[in-house]
Amino acid sequence: NNTIGTKIIKVGSASDLRMGGLVGELICTNYTFVDLSGTTANGVSLTAESATGSMGGILGHTFKNCHVKVNGSFSGTVKSGAASLGGLIYNLEGRLDADSGTSVDGLNLTSSGSMRGILLADGKKALVTVSADPGGFDAVTADGFDLLVGENVTSYTTVDVPATGGIVTIETQETDVGKFPEASGWYGLINSRQNTKTRYYFNVATITPPATAGMIASPTDLLYWNIYDFSNTALIAGVKNEYIPSQINDITATADVDMTNYCFYPTAKESVTVDFKGHTLTFGQDKVTAQNQFYGLQAGLLSDIIASDSNRTVTVQDVKLNGTVAYLNGGASGSGALICGTVHGSQVDTNVYTATLNLSNVVLNGVAVEGNASSLLLNRIGSHVQSTIDGVSQSGYAAGTKVASSLIGKGGYNEGTETAVVLSQDIYV
């Protein structure tokens, strides 16, 4: 066991300080396991009040191509001026496991930088798993800091739902992989440190691909499909190989899939076929507010379909929709159980790229939108779109029940460009 007690004062201005209580940088040629189990920090003092850019924390500034494991208690003071700061590490390209026993109570962090996290500042290329007790995070002085990671989102959709990024998962020993715990001390702590630059999951550290590629037999299978698309361009190869080893694009359901109280977010796809074979997809959750670190939670199946450099085709067929779909930004940014973002083509010089959307045999089987004040199926259809809706019906609604403001929120909102919506059959609602 080792105890860190480093004291450093940097006098004068400095940018991107590669300093830390343990190391400045650890750059590994190959993906390397860095076991810091048993390592603690007591009385650390790192001060650079005129720093800008970034500054390292108690463990260091940069860990690259590393799988870092900690389970100790860390206390001390880190002051970084205007530099972005992570309490333990500024930037990680790899994996951090904050295992049972990890505590940051007693940390005093000060920074006015753009990325501030109690564990990690820049997690855009990181998988961060937290299996610690929330009691080890409730006595930290760190105004403006995210509870765990300052920023891990690398891109956003047209409705500001995160599209790609690293993974933060809080592990609570929930039996079902990817499901929220019934109650947790983490909920209040997260709510007290709201941050739109990081997405959180619960209990997805041990997620595995579907038993048969592309076959969706459970909520966890559909969640893997989402997590793969969110993180595969962000995570480094060593983490991808052990965490999300199998790519999935087109999917076929082999059973009803109830996503209620799972950490399920809309998936950004380029081209995809989703065939539910007449099975039911159910949305809904009542554990957290779908804002900040949970923005977009349970807001739909897909987010954006954007044809920016080639033609794109998305097909969704033979699905029954049930449950409650979250709206975005209090309804101001719309909603959509199948697509919560935008279907949009483009024109680059004389080249026209078309986004084709095919919907067929969709049953509104009691599905509703939170607040009942925005669109039910599709949020926005933009320019250079060919959309065919072939058979939408409803069941399971009491007479006179309002479930949404419309089926489609906005259509063809760029005037003068080609948008076609073809209704091949009557729509019954």
Side-chain angles (χ1 to χ4, degrees), residues 308-341:
S308 58
D309 55 7
S310 64
N311 295 331
R312 309 294 189 194
T313 300
V314 170
T315 299
V316 181
Q317 61 193 30
D318 295 329
V319 60
K320 298 176 183 176
L321 299 173
N322 186 262
T324 301
V325 178
Y327 55 26
L328 300 171
N329 192 23
S333 297
S335 57
L338 293 184
I339 299 174
C340 73

Side-chain angles (χ1 to χ4, degrees), residues 182-205:
E182 283 299 314
S184 176
W186 288 110
Y187 293 154
L189 290 175
I190 295 167
N191 191 55
S192 69
R193 295 185 177 275
Q194 298 176 1
N195 177 23
T196 61
K197 298 178 181 180
T198 295
R199 169 180 283 184
Y200 282 9
Y201 290 87
F202 270 82
N203 299 306
V204 299

Side-chain angles (χ1 to χ4, degrees), residues 138-160:
D138 62 3
V140 183
T141 301
D143 291 344
F145 280 68
D146 185 275
L147 182 65
L148 302 173
V149 176
E151 184 172 345
N152 78 343
V153 177
T154 57
S155 69
Y156 294 83
T157 67
T158 59
V159 288
D160 295 326

Side-chain angles (χ1 to χ4, degrees), residues 217-277:
S218 69
T220 303
D221 289 344
L222 191 61
L223 185 55
Y224 179 92
W225 177 70
N226 163 255
I227 286 175
Y228 183 92
D229 273 87
F230 182 73
S231 64
N232 86 90
T233 60
L235 298 179
I236 66 171
V239 177
K240 285 176 59 177
N241 291 341
E242 66 182 16
Y243 182 60
I244 48 169
S246 301
Q247 179 180 1
I248 299 176
N249 193 55
D250 297 343
I251 56 173
T252 300
T254 61
D256 292 343
V257 180
D258 187 352
M259 301 306 297
T260 303
N261 286 328
Y262 281 83
C263 296
F264 182 67
Y265 296 89
T267 301
K269 300 293 289 188
E270 293 184 341
S271 292
V272 66
T273 296
V274 177
D275 187 351
F276 258 71
K277 297 292 184 182

Side-chain angles (χ1 to χ4, degrees), residues 70-111:
V70 298
N71 63 4
S73 61
F74 300 90
S75 65
T77 299
V78 186
K79 296 181 179 181
S80 70
S84 293
L85 175 66
L88 297 188
I89 301 170
Y90 164 69
N91 176 43
L92 171 66
E93 297 183 18
R95 175 170 179 161
L96 171 64
D97 295 332
D99 287 348
S100 177
T102 303
S103 172
V104 290
D105 279 354
L107 273 185
N108 188 329
L109 307 176
T110 303
S111 168

